[in-house]
Amino acid sequence: MIIDHIKPHYEVRAVDTDPDTGDVCKDWPIALTTEKQAAHMIAASLNQTDEEPNRVYYTKARNEQKV
């Protein structure tokens, strides 16, 4: 899927780490939005769950335009 035509956009991503070594096992996007605030709220909400103790959710800006 090509998403680079959406400018700017923000990814909500999940990262799994190995609890023994601390190495990143998997890092993948789970949601896209054009609103920075919405991406931060989604990630913060997901981080409040204890479903996966070795998983962290974060946001990543893509094609963000600096003014």
Side-chain angles (χ1 to χ4, degrees), residues 20-61:
D20 297 327
T21 64
D23 293 338
V24 173
C25 301
K26 191 174 178 184
D27 186 352
W28 71 101
I30 60 169
L32 281 176
T33 180
T34 56
E35 296 293 325
K36 187 176 191 176
Q37 186 68 18
H40 288 305
M41 287 190 305
I42 293 167
S45 296
L46 290 170
N47 279 323
Q48 291 180 359
T49 66
D50 289 331
E51 215 170 283
E52 288 288 333
N54 300 318
R55 183 171 294 160
V56 175
Y57 300 93
Y58 68 98
T59 60
K60 187 172 188 178

